[in-house]
Each structure stands twice: as structure tokens, then as C-alpha cells.
Amino acid sequence: MTDASFRFTHAVTRQPAASITSGLRAVDTGTPDLAVMQAHHAAYVAALRATGATVIELPPLSAFPDSVFVEDTALCLPQGAVIMRPGAPSRLGEAAEMAPTLEDLYTTVRRIERHESFIEGGDILVTGREVLVGRSARTNAAGIAELAAIVADWGHSLREVFTPPGVLHFKTDCSLMDADTVLSTDRLAASGCFAGYRVIAVAEGEEASANAIRFNDAVLFPAGFPRTRDRLVDAGYAVTEIGNSECAKLDGGMSCLSLRFTPG
Ligand code: GLY
């Protein structure tokens, strides 16, 4: 997929709902402040738009506290979109809420539909050469097998990889920087899953900065992690720092907040 793995014409986001205060979290580090999250979200959308992309902002969905994290609802590839089956029971219904938007944009939309299949977009990293999927508490073998069959129809190979224990999603610990380069925590890279890729290591103690996004010429990166930011700048990336303090309370990051794609 080369540049198609990080150059996109479109993104979809969803504004945070007041119910975000009830969002899922592994550890309670405080209640997210809605106003601060809204300000961070606005900066995030502005940074996407600054690259020239069309950004579709969906309205808040109060029935789904975690629905700001739209990435988990779908996988968007050049050939089509796949509607996921989130493994968190409170999030399962978010996928159906996203489907009409993608059906308006894509000619081909397929679905993970088996009762036993669960898979969330946060566990999927699309690189320039393959689709990597980490099995996690949210993504199971049946979900991965169903997705593998769909993407094979579109000419993509899928490889199951390792999500470190206790880590929410595969992409909690890594990000694509360009077709052959990933930003990764040491604990994830140590699994060997990025053999053959160039790996930029997240600085020790800044593991929470591993979830960033390359979107066209920009890298959107969470504010507050200066040593890792400097590594990316030194590697030649145009880094835009975005506040992530409130999403971080819900284990969310830069990738979680958008679907990024060029509709086919
Ligand atoms: N709070 C995001 C998630 O757990 O899916």
C-alpha cells in the first residue's frame, strides 16, 4: 500500500459526549473534564484539516460513552471498509452507528458478523506492506480470522501479532510513521513483530506517547512527551502536539479519535 498507508483524503471523527465521564478505563486516574476534552478534540480536528483533508465530524452519541474513539468501529482500506464487532459489550453498538457514514463514502462496505467474532480497530495497524492485528482482551481469534478472509479478497495479507499483557490495544504501544517505519515501545518491539521495519523507540518512561498518527505530512502526537517528540523531529517528521490528558484517562490516544482513509 506504500503511501496509501498514511496519505488520506478523508477522516471521520465524533465529538465527545457528556457521558464520556462514564467511559471505560483500566485504572481510574480521575474523571475526564469534558470542556478540556472538547478543546483538545477541536485542536485534533483542526490539525487533520490543516493537511488538506476533508474531516467529517459526527455529533456526540450520549448512549455510547466511548464513542469519541471512532477508530474501533471500522477498518478503512482503499478497496473498502470493514465494520468491526467491538469486544467491549458497552461499545458493540457503536459500529452500527458508524456504518451509514462509511456506506455513503465507500462503494464496498463489509462487516465482521459472526456471533463469536470480536475485533476493534485499535488492534489493527496497516503498514505499507501488510495488515497487523494484535489479539487482545477486545480482539479474538474468530474476529481476526474473519477479517483475514475479507482483506485477502482485497489482496492484503494479515499477520497476527502480539499485544503486550495488560495493554488495551496493539496500537496503544505503536504507530505507523511511514510505510516502513513504526514508533514502538520497547516492550512491544521486543516481541519481534516489527522485524524488517525501521523502528523508532519511544523514550523510556514515555510509553504513553506510542499512540500517535501519521496523517499526510503531519504526525499528530500527544503533548507532554518531549524526548520521544524530539526523536521524531530528529528523524524528519513534522510533529504537531495535541493535548491528550483527558482521553488518556480513558486509555485513548491519537489514533483512537479518527478513521482515516481515501474512499474507494
Ligand atoms: N475507553 C476506551 C476503551 O476502553 O475502549
Side-chain angles (χ1 to χ4, degrees):
M1 269 173 289
T2 62
D3 283 12
S5 57
F6 63 91
R7 295 203 177 279
F8 307 103
T9 59
H10 286 68
V12 175
T13 63
R14 186 180 290 287
Q15 293 168 357
S19 59
I20 193 74
T21 51
S22 303
L24 298 172
R25 64 207 79 178
V27 177
D28 195 352
T29 58
T31 304
D33 182 311
L34 178 62
V36 175
M37 188 184 285
Q38 287 168 326
H40 290 166
H41 197 262
Y44 180 90
V45 169
L48 296 178
R49 285 205 172 112
T51 72
T54 298
V55 181
I56 298 162
E57 279 194 277
L58 300 176
L61 271 181
S62 58
F64 296 101
D66 286 291
S67 57
V68 68
F69 302 123
V70 288
E71 179 180 60
D72 292 314
T73 65
L75 173 65
C76 295
L77 292 169
Q79 297 81 6
V82 186
I83 307 299
M84 299 283 113
R85 266 180 61 78
S90 68
R91 303 200 58 193
L92 189 56
E94 291 176 30
E97 297 285 347
M98 180 57 69
T101 300
L102 296 176
E103 284 164 347
D104 281 349
L105 292 161
Y106 271 98
T107 306
T108 304
V109 175
R110 295 182 62 177
R111 284 174 171 69
I112 302 297
E113 52 197 4
R114 290 189 199 130
H115 171 75
E116 66 273 21
S117 296
F118 294 102
I119 185 163
E120 298 191 354
D123 281 315
I124 305 171
L125 183 74
V126 179
T127 76
R129 57 183 97 154
E130 59 186 338
V131 178
L132 303 175
V133 186
R135 203 183 299 196
S136 73
R138 303 285 183 85
T139 292
N140 65 12
I144 296 173
E146 204 172 333
L147 181 65
I150 293 172
V151 303
D153 287 347
W154 295 339
H156 299 288
S157 60
L158 183 153
R159 178 161 61 98
E160 184 173 332
V161 286
F162 164 86
T163 299
V167 171
L168 175 59
H169 285 134
F170 181 64
K171 278 190 298 193
T172 303
D173 266 30
C174 67
S175 312
L176 191 78
M177 291 292 110
D178 60 42
D180 292 309
T181 305
V182 291
L183 173 69
S184 177
T185 61
D186 285 336
R187 66 186 170 196
L188 177 57
S191 72
C193 64
F194 297 127
Y197 288 89
R198 181 167 76 122
V199 177
I200 299 173
V202 168
E204 191 179 346
E206 294 191 348
E207 285 73 14
S209 71
N211 182 271
I213 55 168
R214 173 73 187 274
F215 188 79
N216 297 325
D217 286 333
V219 170
L220 276 62
F221 181 79
F225 303 96
R227 288 176 294 134
T228 306
R229 175 202 61 206
D230 289 351
R231 290 181 185 185
L232 293 173
V233 170
D234 290 347
Y237 296 103
V239 176
T240 301
E241 291 179 277
I242 306 285
N244 192 54
S245 58
E246 306 316 294
C247 288
K249 293 173 183 169
L250 303 175
D251 310 313
M254 296 291 108
S255 78
C256 314
L257 294 172
S258 60
L259 289 168
R260 304 164 295 279
F261 53 97
T262 300

